[in-house]
């Protein structure tokens, strides 16, 4: 089967894993309840545009270059308009970042992604 763009549709691994884990647990007498939620809905709430496609392609190319060079423990990101390989520990050791919901940056994000405001 193909999707609307003519690309081959790949099997969804999520439901398969859910079924296999459930089956294996039942075989071993382990009570289990698994709720599978399709993550594609949560990843993005607006359709991708040309910028998104170019940005994702650049990130993917950087990740492939890093893997082919033998790097591990890295991720690819954009820093000061350059695509760079970043050590994961340099990102995770800094702790969570906070977004000011009253900032101009946040307002621009909400406008660009056309997300509604849920402020009371």
């Amino acid at each position: 089967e193909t999707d609307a763009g003519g690309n081959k549709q790949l099997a969804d691994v999520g439901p398969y894993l859910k079924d296999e884990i459930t089956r294996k647990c039942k075989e071993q007498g382990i009570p289990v309840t698994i709720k599978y939620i399709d993550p594609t809905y949560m990843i993005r709430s607006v359709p991708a545009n040309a910028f998104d496609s170019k940005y994702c392609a650049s990130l993917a190319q950087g990740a492939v270059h890093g893997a082919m060079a033998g790097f591990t423990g890295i991720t690819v990101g954009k820093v000061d308009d350059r695509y760079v390989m970043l050590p994961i520990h340099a990102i995770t050791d800094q702790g969570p970042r906070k977004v000011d919901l009253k900032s101009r940056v946040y307002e621009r994000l909400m406008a660009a992604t056309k997300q509604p405001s849920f402020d009371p």
Side-chain angles (χ1 to χ4, degrees), residues 73-118:
I74 60 125
T75 187
V76 178
K78 194 171 184 183
V79 177
D80 294 330
D81 289 328
R82 291 184 166 194
Y83 292 94
V84 296
M85 293 176 212
L86 302 163
I88 291 176
H89 69 82
I91 298 166
T92 58
D93 289 350
Q94 305 214 0
R97 292 174 28 180
K98 305 245 181 202
V99 175
D100 180 5
L101 301 182
K102 305 267 186 235
S103 71
R104 182 172 291 215
V105 171
Y106 182 74
E107 288 178 14
R108 287 178 181 156
L109 169 75
M110 297 301 285
T113 58
K114 299 177 185 168
Q115 296 185 50
S117 172
F118 295 108

Side-chain angles (χ1 to χ4, degrees), residues 44-55:
R44 187 166 180 99
S45 60
V46 296
N49 59 27
F51 173 82
D52 296 327
S53 297
K54 185 175 183 293
Y55 181 63

Side-chain angles (χ1 to χ4, degrees), residues 15-96:
Y16 169 77
L17 286 174
K18 175 189 173 286
D19 294 342
E20 286 298 305
I21 293 169
T22 303
R23 183 185 62 76
K24 191 71 169 174
C25 287
K26 284 185 180 178
E27 281 177 7
Q28 297 182 6
I30 301 170
V32 65
T33 301
I34 298 176
K35 309 243 184 307
Y36 173 72
I37 301 169
D38 182 6
T40 56
Y41 174 77
M42 295 182 289
I43 291 171
R44 187 166 180 99
S45 60
V46 296
N49 59 27
F51 173 82
D52 296 327
S53 297
K54 185 175 183 293
Y55 181 63
C56 290
S58 296
L59 292 176
Q61 288 169 357
V64 169
H65 285 298
M68 296 298 285
F71 295 130
T72 60
I74 60 125
T75 187
V76 178
K78 194 171 184 183
V79 177
D80 294 330
D81 289 328
R82 291 184 166 194
Y83 292 94
V84 296
M85 293 176 212
L86 302 163
I88 291 176
H89 69 82
I91 298 166
T92 58
D93 289 350
Q94 305 214 0

